[in-house]
Amino acid sequence: MKRFFARNAPAYVFLLPWLIGFFLLALGPILASLYLSFTRYDMVSAPRWIGWGNYEYMFTRDRRFWKALEVTFTYVALAVPARLIMALGVAMLLDKGLRTIGLYRAIFYLPSLLGASIAIAILWRQLFAADGVVNQVLAMAGIQGASWITDPDTSLYTLVVLAMWQFGSPMLIFLAGLRGIPRDLYEAAEIDGTPGWRQFTRITLPLLAPVIFFNLVLQTIDSFKTFSSAFIISNGTGAPADSLLFYTVYLFNEAFKFFRMGYASALAWFLLVIIATFTAIAFFTSKYWVHYENERD
């Protein structure tokens, strides 16, 4: 034990603030929400135990629950690959050795800092409104723009575009990974006459696989938790026609609009199960395509 603590004491010292916050501030509410998920609770009267009633209603009678799942899964399936492709493309451009790379990194990272804010969500709603800037620019080119926000067929894609715009965080991680790839591998490939696209598929992608995996897990979890932009753009209702009824928006409404706190707790725990399942699948499948330098055949 002494040897263990001597070897790991610095790590636990750095983790201590998080551990204190978790056990004193987070663990209690987590356990309370687990208990409330098995009760009928409206924040006024005392919780009443109903067992699996909330979960039974969720899976068998709640149509909006299934709609929220459909919208959220569609968003994750579109937004995560789009954001990662955008981030990797920009990172590869910045990896060319630009003189003012620090300035470019800051400029490209700025949308990630602002993207989750309420102000940006309001701005995004104005940009894609029927008389917004996007349609005005299209009108100058003689194109009749759609009503992007109020049309159920296009409203979700506006949030996917917003997600692509927030590529700064994965871009910096990709850039760090690219800087870790030995340059002599590319030099040897060029000497052999290997074209650029083959260098990308045979050198860049395989050696960048751990970074891709890391970004994939983080961005998937983050996309499942998307709330502010969907809530603001849909005015908190999931409109139009529930096309923006994200799971988190539906959970929020059940808890703080209809005061069905017990049912909202059940929704929150099922979201945890969804995220944990996708994370577990990512880790399980990673052994087939993610390879680390210190691995032995």
Side-chain angles (χ1 to χ4, degrees), residues 144-163:
Q144 179 66 37
S147 183
W148 307 100
I149 296 296
T150 58
D151 188 347
D153 294 330
T154 58
S155 57
L156 183 61
Y157 298 107
T158 62
L159 289 184
V160 174
V161 175
L162 177 58

mmCIF file of all heavy atoms in Angstrom, residues 144-163:
data_model
loop_
_atom_site.group_PDB
_atom_site.id
_atom_site.type_symbol
_atom_site.label_atom_id
_atom_site.label_comp_id
_atom_site.label_asym_id
_atom_site.label_seq_id
_atom_site.Cartn_x
_atom_site.Cartn_y
_atom_site.Cartn_z
ATOM 1 N N GLN A 144 -34.592 31.064 -54.301
ATOM 2 C CA GLN A 144 -35.631 31.201 -53.290
ATOM 3 C C GLN A 144 -35.301 30.294 -52.113
ATOM 4 O O GLN A 144 -35.351 29.067 -52.215
ATOM 5 C CB GLN A 144 -37.000 30.833 -53.886
ATOM 6 C CG GLN A 144 -38.148 30.913 -52.886
ATOM 7 C CD GLN A 144 -38.404 32.332 -52.413
ATOM 8 O OE1 GLN A 144 -38.286 33.293 -53.183
ATOM 9 N NE2 GLN A 144 -38.750 32.475 -51.144
ATOM 10 N N GLY A 145 -34.954 30.889 -51.005
ATOM 11 C CA GLY A 145 -34.572 30.115 -49.831
ATOM 12 C C GLY A 145 -35.775 29.530 -49.110
ATOM 13 O O GLY A 145 -36.899 30.028 -49.214
ATOM 14 N N ALA A 146 -35.546 28.468 -48.376
ATOM 15 C CA ALA A 146 -36.612 27.835 -47.600
ATOM 16 C C ALA A 146 -36.773 28.527 -46.256
ATOM 17 O O ALA A 146 -35.948 29.348 -45.861
ATOM 18 C CB ALA A 146 -36.287 26.349 -47.389
ATOM 19 N N SER A 147 -37.820 28.185 -45.574
ATOM 20 C CA SER A 147 -38.015 28.666 -44.206
ATOM 21 C C SER A 147 -37.322 27.665 -43.284
ATOM 22 O O SER A 147 -37.948 26.760 -42.718
ATOM 23 C CB SER A 147 -39.510 28.774 -43.888
ATOM 24 O OG SER A 147 -39.710 29.298 -42.600
ATOM 25 N N TRP A 148 -36.029 27.818 -43.142
ATOM 26 C CA TRP A 148 -35.180 26.792 -42.556
ATOM 27 C C TRP A 148 -35.608 26.388 -41.148
ATOM 28 O O TRP A 148 -35.672 25.199 -40.832
ATOM 29 C CB TRP A 148 -33.722 27.268 -42.544
ATOM 30 C CG TRP A 148 -33.230 27.726 -43.871
ATOM 31 C CD1 TRP A 148 -33.118 29.017 -44.296
ATOM 32 C CD2 TRP A 148 -32.800 26.914 -44.964
ATOM 33 N NE1 TRP A 148 -32.642 29.063 -45.576
ATOM 34 C CE2 TRP A 148 -32.429 27.789 -46.012
ATOM 35 C CE3 TRP A 148 -32.677 25.539 -45.152
ATOM 36 C CZ2 TRP A 148 -31.950 27.330 -47.228
ATOM 37 C CZ3 TRP A 148 -32.196 25.075 -46.361
ATOM 38 C CH2 TRP A 148 -31.839 25.961 -47.385
ATOM 39 N N ILE A 149 -35.913 27.357 -40.324
ATOM 40 C CA ILE A 149 -36.207 27.082 -38.916
ATOM 41 C C ILE A 149 -37.621 26.538 -38.728
ATOM 42 O O ILE A 149 -37.858 25.650 -37.907
ATOM 43 C CB ILE A 149 -36.007 28.349 -38.061
ATOM 44 C CG1 ILE A 149 -34.533 28.772 -38.087
ATOM 45 C CG2 ILE A 149 -36.454 28.104 -36.628
ATOM 46 C CD1 ILE A 149 -33.589 27.762 -37.473
ATOM 47 N N THR A 150 -38.576 27.054 -39.473
ATOM 48 C CA THR A 150 -39.981 26.685 -39.272
ATOM 49 C C THR A 150 -40.436 25.512 -40.129
ATOM 50 O O THR A 150 -41.578 25.077 -40.013
ATOM 51 C CB THR A 150 -40.883 27.897 -39.566
ATOM 52 O OG1 THR A 150 -40.661 28.349 -40.908
ATOM 53 C CG2 THR A 150 -40.583 29.031 -38.596
ATOM 54 N N ASP A 151 -39.559 25.001 -40.963
ATOM 55 C CA ASP A 151 -39.897 23.845 -41.797
ATOM 56 C C ASP A 151 -39.380 22.578 -41.120
ATOM 57 O O ASP A 151 -38.171 22.437 -40.885
ATOM 58 C CB ASP A 151 -39.258 23.990 -43.181
ATOM 59 C CG ASP A 151 -39.731 22.909 -44.152
ATOM 60 O OD1 ASP A 151 -40.344 21.929 -43.701
ATOM 61 O OD2 ASP A 151 -39.463 23.052 -45.360
ATOM 62 N N PRO A 152 -40.253 21.631 -40.776
ATOM 63 C CA PRO A 152 -39.797 20.396 -40.108
ATOM 64 C C PRO A 152 -38.786 19.596 -40.909
ATOM 65 O O PRO A 152 -38.008 18.837 -40.337
ATOM 66 C CB PRO A 152 -41.092 19.602 -39.914
ATOM 67 C CG PRO A 152 -42.191 20.598 -39.984
ATOM 68 C CD PRO A 152 -41.716 21.651 -40.937
ATOM 69 N N ASP A 153 -38.785 19.771 -42.234
ATOM 70 C CA ASP A 153 -37.864 19.006 -43.076
ATOM 71 C C ASP A 153 -36.441 19.555 -43.052
ATOM 72 O O ASP A 153 -35.501 18.849 -43.433
ATOM 73 C CB ASP A 153 -38.365 18.984 -44.519
ATOM 74 C CG ASP A 153 -39.681 18.223 -44.652
ATOM 75 O OD1 ASP A 153 -39.900 17.285 -43.860
ATOM 76 O OD2 ASP A 153 -40.485 18.579 -45.532
ATOM 77 N N THR A 154 -36.258 20.802 -42.626
ATOM 78 C CA THR A 154 -34.931 21.422 -42.667
ATOM 79 C C THR A 154 -34.444 21.936 -41.317
ATOM 80 O O THR A 154 -33.267 22.265 -41.181
ATOM 81 C CB THR A 154 -34.931 22.603 -43.662
ATOM 82 O OG1 THR A 154 -35.930 23.565 -43.266
ATOM 83 C CG2 THR A 154 -35.239 22.128 -45.075
ATOM 84 N N SER A 155 -35.323 22.034 -40.332
ATOM 85 C CA SER A 155 -34.952 22.658 -39.058
ATOM 86 C C SER A 155 -33.794 21.941 -38.378
ATOM 87 O O SER A 155 -32.880 22.580 -37.834
ATOM 88 C CB SER A 155 -36.166 22.712 -38.128
ATOM 89 O OG SER A 155 -36.691 21.410 -37.914
ATOM 90 N N LEU A 156 -33.789 20.617 -38.395
ATOM 91 C CA LEU A 156 -32.733 19.876 -37.711
ATOM 92 C C LEU A 156 -31.374 20.104 -38.367
ATOM 93 O O LEU A 156 -30.344 20.136 -37.683
ATOM 94 C CB LEU A 156 -33.071 18.385 -37.700
ATOM 95 C CG LEU A 156 -32.096 17.467 -36.947
ATOM 96 C CD1 LEU A 156 -32.035 17.850 -35.468
ATOM 97 C CD2 LEU A 156 -32.502 16.012 -37.094
ATOM 98 N N TYR A 157 -31.367 20.294 -39.681
ATOM 99 C CA TYR A 157 -30.100 20.468 -40.380
ATOM 100 C C TYR A 157 -29.433 21.795 -40.026
ATOM 101 O O TYR A 157 -28.204 21.914 -40.125
ATOM 102 C CB TYR A 157 -30.318 20.373 -41.891
ATOM 103 C CG TYR A 157 -30.856 19.028 -42.316
ATOM 104 C CD1 TYR A 157 -32.173 18.876 -42.716
ATOM 105 C CD2 TYR A 157 -30.047 17.893 -42.281
ATOM 106 C CE1 TYR A 157 -32.670 17.638 -43.098
ATOM 107 C CE2 TYR A 157 -30.533 16.652 -42.668
ATOM 108 C CZ TYR A 157 -31.849 16.535 -43.061
ATOM 109 O OH TYR A 157 -32.338 15.298 -43.421
ATOM 110 N N THR A 158 -30.217 22.788 -39.610
ATOM 111 C CA THR A 158 -29.602 24.038 -39.174
ATOM 112 C C THR A 158 -28.770 23.824 -37.914
ATOM 113 O O THR A 158 -27.725 24.451 -37.742
ATOM 114 C CB THR A 158 -30.677 25.108 -38.911
ATOM 115 O OG1 THR A 158 -31.551 24.675 -37.854
ATOM 116 C CG2 THR A 158 -31.509 25.364 -40.159
ATOM 117 N N LEU A 159 -29.212 22.927 -37.050
ATOM 118 C CA LEU A 159 -28.433 22.625 -35.847
ATOM 119 C C LEU A 159 -27.220 21.760 -36.182
ATOM 120 O O LEU A 159 -26.199 21.839 -35.506
ATOM 121 C CB LEU A 159 -29.314 21.922 -34.819
ATOM 122 C CG LEU A 159 -30.377 22.804 -34.161
ATOM 123 C CD1 LEU A 159 -31.128 22.030 -33.092
ATOM 124 C CD2 LEU A 159 -29.749 24.036 -33.531
ATOM 125 N N VAL A 160 -27.332 20.941 -37.208
ATOM 126 C CA VAL A 160 -26.168 20.173 -37.653
ATOM 127 C C VAL A 160 -25.091 21.123 -38.179
ATOM 128 O O VAL A 160 -23.899 20.944 -37.901
ATOM 129 C CB VAL A 160 -26.573 19.152 -38.731
ATOM 130 C CG1 VAL A 160 -25.337 18.455 -39.311
ATOM 131 C CG2 VAL A 160 -27.526 18.112 -38.142
ATOM 132 N N VAL A 161 -25.503 22.141 -38.922
ATOM 133 C CA VAL A 161 -24.551 23.144 -39.407
ATOM 134 C C VAL A 161 -23.911 23.878 -38.237
ATOM 135 O O VAL A 161 -22.707 24.161 -38.231
ATOM 136 C CB VAL A 161 -25.253 24.133 -40.360
ATOM 137 C CG1 VAL A 161 -24.307 25.255 -40.762
ATOM 138 C CG2 VAL A 161 -25.760 23.404 -41.594
ATOM 139 N N LEU A 162 -24.705 24.196 -37.215
ATOM 140 C CA LEU A 162 -24.163 24.837 -36.018
ATOM 141 C C LEU A 162 -23.140 23.927 -35.344
ATOM 142 O O LEU A 162 -22.105 24.394 -34.857
ATOM 143 C CB LEU A 162 -25.300 25.172 -35.053
ATOM 144 C CG LEU A 162 -24.894 25.786 -33.705
ATOM 145 C CD1 LEU A 162 -24.101 27.068 -33.902
ATOM 146 C CD2 LEU A 162 -26.129 26.044 -32.845
ATOM 147 N N ALA A 163 -23.412 22.636 -35.306
ATOM 148 C CA ALA A 163 -22.462 21.692 -34.712
ATOM 149 C C ALA A 163 -21.158 21.658 -35.503
ATOM 150 O O ALA A 163 -20.061 21.583 -34.927
ATOM 151 C CB ALA A 163 -23.084 20.303 -34.641
#
